[in-house]
Amino acid sequence: MAELDGPRLEPRSGRARQLVVFLHGYGADGNDLIEIGRAWQGLLPDAAFVSPHAPRPCGQAPMGREWFPLTFRNPEERWTGVNEAAPILERFLDAELKRRDLPPSALALVGFSQGTMMSLHVGLRRPVAPVGIVGYSGMLAMPEDVESFTAEIRSKPPVLLIHGDADQLIPVQALFHCAQSLAALGIPAQWHISSGVGHGIDQEGLRQGGEFLANCFAAGK
């Protein structure tokens, strides 16, 4: 697999002290989320933003990318998928931090849908916890063997989950399941439900995500 790359935004302040990485959803690419960084530059003036394209051409979309295939025929495919995609994402995160001369603790992850699965999977396994994880319209990929899953957790960053209550692709119940699973692991999770919103992000969800990360970075100083 080729190494990851995607659009970047330089920090408004001129010097990067923080790194926010966006992980897009199935069938999209890095251009889909990078504009969120532009919307958050006022809240996060010291943050550099990057939105890598997922490593694989999407199997069900002519132009988009996927972190892992989805057929919905195998109940374990999400778990298999996040594990297979994790190493290339880990390498990208480490390389991007090194490129910016930033410590691992300066990292925040923001995912949408399949990107949320990747953000949670990788973020909870990093040797140094990200400062925070924002997951939009996603879920926590887990195996049937919950004990082995629990043994893999190395980091417990604060998490914000945001989901539309009209989401027909990943029902809002996934938010509650995710929050409960994180609580069982001792991971602090906040959540917000966007009324009338489908599989997408509204302005309130956008605002809450940006303010959450601003607070996480401020607390980490």
Side-chain angles (χ1 to χ4, degrees), residues 31-79:
N31 296 306
D32 191 52
L33 297 183
I34 193 63
E35 288 303 310
I36 295 177
R38 211 174 297 280
W40 285 353
Q41 281 183 318
L43 286 166
L44 303 168
D46 296 325
F49 299 91
V50 60
S51 187
H53 308 302
R56 306 166 56 105
C58 184
Q60 299 183 41
M63 301 293 288
R65 312 288 296 179
E66 65 184 24
W67 294 98
F68 53 87
L70 284 174
T71 66
F72 304 104
R73 292 191 292 267
N74 178 358
E76 288 276 293
E77 72 177 349
R78 293 188 184 95
W79 176 245

Side-chain angles (χ1 to χ4, degrees), residues 79-99:
W79 176 245
T80 302
V82 291
N83 279 283
E84 288 180 349
I88 191 170
L89 177 56
E90 285 278 12
R91 289 197 299 273
F92 175 80
L93 297 177
D94 291 339
E96 202 70 11
L97 286 165
K98 184 178 180 181
R99 180 175 173 271

Side-chain angles (χ1 to χ4, degrees), residues 62-146:
M63 301 293 288
R65 312 288 296 179
E66 65 184 24
W67 294 98
F68 53 87
L70 284 174
T71 66
F72 304 104
R73 292 191 292 267
N74 178 358
E76 288 276 293
E77 72 177 349
R78 293 188 184 95
W79 176 245
T80 302
V82 291
N83 279 283
E84 288 180 349
I88 191 170
L89 177 56
E90 285 278 12
R91 289 197 299 273
F92 175 80
L93 297 177
D94 291 339
E96 202 70 11
L97 286 165
K98 184 178 180 181
R99 180 175 173 271
R100 297 283 186 178
D101 194 25
L102 292 172
S105 58
L107 172 69
L109 298 173
V110 180
F112 178 79
S113 194
Q114 193 179 65
T116 292
M117 298 181 216
M118 292 303 304
S119 295
L120 291 169
H121 184 82
V122 169
L124 303 185
R125 287 162 177 77
R126 287 185 64 78
V128 177
V131 72
I133 299 174
V134 179
Y136 290 102
S137 305
M139 61 192 302
L140 182 65
M142 296 182 69
E144 291 184 8
D145 181 2
V146 177

Side-chain angles (χ1 to χ4, degrees), residues 118-184:
M118 292 303 304
S119 295
L120 291 169
H121 184 82
V122 169
L124 303 185
R125 287 162 177 77
R126 287 185 64 78
V128 177
V131 72
I133 299 174
V134 179
Y136 290 102
S137 305
M139 61 192 302
L140 182 65
M142 296 182 69
E144 291 184 8
D145 181 2
V146 177
E147 284 189 16
S148 67
F149 174 88
T150 303
E152 293 178 5
I153 302 303
R154 303 169 75 185
S155 297
K156 296 184 178 182
V159 175
L160 172 64
L161 304 170
I162 298 177
H163 216 113
D165 65 1
D167 193 331
Q168 294 184 327
L169 195 61
I170 300 180
V172 69
Q173 285 78 10
L175 177 148
F176 299 112
H177 183 263
C178 183
Q180 290 167 357
S181 298
L182 292 173

